[in-house]
Amino acid sequence: MNQESLLSISSNALFIAFILLLIAIVPLGLAVKSKRKMFGRLGLLLTSVAFALQLVYFVVRWVAVDHAPVSNMYEFMTFFGIMLTGSYLIIHFLYKQLVVGLFTIPVSLIILGYGSVFAKEVSPLVPSLQSHWLTIHVMTVAFSSAILSVSFATGLIYLLRTLDVSKKSISTYSLEFVLYCLVVVIGFIGVSTVFSVAAEEVQVQFDNSQGQQEKATYSMMPLIVNKGAVTKNGEGIGIVEITNKIDAKKLNSIVWAFIVGTILYGVIRLITRKSISAVLKPWTSRVQPQLMDEISYRAVVIGFPLFALGGLLFAMIWAQIAWSRYWGWDPKEVWALITFLFYAAFLHFRLSKGWEGEKTAWLAIIGFGIIVFNQVFVNLVIAGLHSYA
């Protein structure tokens, strides 16, 4: 079977898995609101089948490209979403909490949808990626990040269950902001899809920070451009010019995400006449807050050492092989260290200071924010040795 056929099989498996996870939300929601076990069993069955199909995607694509499919943003974010689905199944096996799936699966779908906006084409690996440490390092980071992300979902559930979202406070405003950010990601997925289908790409050229002419192809209408950017016809373009040390094309995508996400958030508020927190709160009415707190803690206990291995130890070994140095203060390396130190502090406060409940929930949410910032903003906007990812 040729590469094209294998890639088609893998893509179809992933698409079917996405649809099954989308459908699974319905029976899981019904199971959370009712006492009928058949809904929970159906939701778990759909989730398990979807996870199996996701693994089919991963294995078949691996065979097709002849290396672990985690070498670009599409492949990494897709694997991240797959591992989040798998992490939920592991947590359910241990704690039997369907409500965790009700909140984890949508996050997994958002991650998969986000990954789908990036180029899916297969391209040869750059020299620094031609190593078995690509598989070891990146897959360990993705799996550990997925487990840590479960603590985000359970932290969110804990706050929705315990906070009085009808009252105005720093906590309720912060919780609503977290949900707004998730809507922004959904907005990014939507606007990326619309532009890719309905609009033509725009090519611009400019002098980069080294004084060399560089070209960029915008799939979204250029609002943010690098200083001195013009079209191939020499015409000025864009609304805001920024320094050439930042990738304006990718920042432009983020700006569009916030524009569309904000509009989408406003539409949701107008339709429901409630905050998103108030809409979601009834789905947590039967939750035991102490159990959610326990799951958040256990997820970090499992995910933290794995991240230390994949994000630091394995990464430094690979850096030595690829770039002849263990550490170079590259932006990606710095934020991996920040992530490690944050979760180390999380465990320190939990064990030494007795931080539990709401404090743990907020730490879990902040930790997820750091992970997302590292995997999205640092990769897309800040120039560095990991920009190819």
Side-chain angles (χ1 to χ4, degrees):
M1 193 174 293
N2 60 31
Q3 185 185 72
E4 185 177 348
S5 298
L6 290 172
L7 290 175
S8 177
I9 292 171
S10 68
S11 296
N12 290 335
L14 185 63
F15 177 74
I16 295 171
F18 186 91
I19 298 301
L20 290 178
L21 285 178
L22 202 60
I23 296 172
I25 295 174
V26 176
L28 286 175
L30 293 172
V32 168
K33 295 291 285 185
S34 71
K35 296 182 179 180
R36 300 184 66 177
K37 294 183 178 180
M38 61 172 291
F39 292 128
R41 290 170 181 167
L42 177 58
L44 281 173
L45 176 62
L46 290 171
T47 304
S48 300
V49 173
F51 181 62
L53 287 171
Q54 288 175 334
L55 293 180
V56 169
Y57 146 81
F58 187 74
V59 172
V60 173
R61 188 175 177 91
W62 192 330
V63 173
V65 302
D66 200 28
H67 61 76
V70 288
S71 61
N72 56 42
M73 280 296 287
Y74 166 70
E75 292 176 344
F76 177 83
M77 296 307 296
T78 299
F79 184 66
F80 184 9
I82 292 172
M83 288 297 97
L84 184 51
T85 305
S87 297
Y88 160 64
L89 292 174
I90 293 172
I91 293 298
H92 181 81
F93 176 77
L94 296 173
Y95 291 97
K96 304 294 189 295
Q97 292 295 302
L98 293 171
V99 69
V100 178
L102 183 61
F103 283 80
T104 302
I105 289 175
V107 176
S108 176
L109 289 172
I110 290 172
I111 292 172
L112 290 169
Y114 175 76
S116 70
V117 306
F118 295 98
K120 304 175 181 62
E121 290 78 14
V122 176
S123 57
L125 292 178
V126 298
S128 61
L129 294 180
Q130 296 174 7
S131 168
H132 292 299
W133 286 103
L134 166 70
T135 304
I136 299 170
H137 159 60
V138 181
M139 290 180 65
T140 306
V141 168
F143 182 47
S144 61
S145 297
I147 296 175
L148 292 170
S149 298
V150 172
S151 70
F152 163 75
T154 51
L156 203 60
I157 295 168
Y158 181 94
L159 293 173
L160 287 168
R161 176 67 177 84
T162 58
L163 291 178
D164 184 354
V165 297
S166 64
K167 294 183 178 179
K168 296 180 179 180
S169 66
I170 294 177
S171 294
T172 55
Y173 280 127
S174 299
L175 179 59
E176 189 68 13
F177 177 74
V178 170
L179 296 172
Y180 160 76
C181 289
L182 292 177
V183 174
V184 167
V185 180
I186 296 173
F188 174 76
I189 297 168
V191 71
S192 297
T193 303
V194 170
F195 271 114
S196 65
V197 172
E200 294 184 359
E201 294 181 337
V202 178
Q203 291 186 342
V204 302
Q205 56 190 30
F206 57 94
D207 291 335
N208 59 27
S209 55
Q210 284 76 41
Q212 300 173 336
Q213 189 177 83
E214 188 173 325
K215 295 181 179 180
T217 302
Y218 281 71
S219 57
M220 299 182 186
M221 182 187 300
L223 301 176
I224 312 292
V225 295
N226 287 116
K227 188 175 181 180
V230 294
T231 65
K232 58 184 179 181
N233 297 325
E235 300 174 352
I237 194 169
I239 297 175
V240 178
E241 291 189 350
I242 62 172
T243 174
N244 293 346
K245 294 181 180 179
I246 296 177
D247 191 325
K249 171 188 169 184
K250 293 172 181 176
L251 183 58
N252 184 71
S253 299
I254 293 175
V255 170
W256 268 110
F258 274 96
I259 292 173
V260 176
T262 301
I263 294 172
L264 179 59
Y265 175 80
V267 170
I268 294 172
R269 291 293 301 265
L270 285 173
I271 293 174
T272 62
R273 296 181 180 275
K274 297 179 180 178
S275 65
I276 298 180
S277 305
V279 173
L280 295 178
K281 187 175 177 62
W283 299 96
T284 65
S285 59
R286 297 168 61 189
V287 167
Q288 300 176 33
Q290 294 79 9
L291 184 55
M292 291 301 107
D293 180 60
E294 173 69 13
I295 296 174
S296 292
Y297 169 63
R298 293 299 175 187
V300 174
V301 167
I302 296 171
F304 172 70
L306 285 174
F307 185 86
L309 282 174
L312 292 180
L313 180 60
F314 296 159
M316 287 189 288
I317 295 173
W318 187 16
Q320 174 62 28
I321 295 172
W323 301 311
S324 301
R325 90 290 188 278
Y326 290 102
W327 190 266
W329 298 104
D330 184 71
K332 190 77 171 177
E333 297 170 350
V334 172
W335 278 95
L337 178 60
I338 290 172
T339 305
F340 168 81
L341 293 175
F342 176 84
Y343 281 104
F346 178 111
L347 294 176
H348 169 74
F349 287 131
R350 175 85 183 199
L351 298 174
S352 301
K353 304 295 183 180
W355 282 25
E356 298 180 356
E358 186 174 339
K359 291 180 179 178
T360 294
W362 281 118
L363 287 175
I365 289 172
I366 294 170
F368 179 73
I370 293 173
I371 289 173
V372 172
F373 183 87
N374 189 12
Q375 304 300 347
V376 177
F377 191 85
V378 175
N379 271 25
L380 293 184
V381 178
I382 303 176
L385 291 172
H386 291 75
S387 296
Y388 52 74

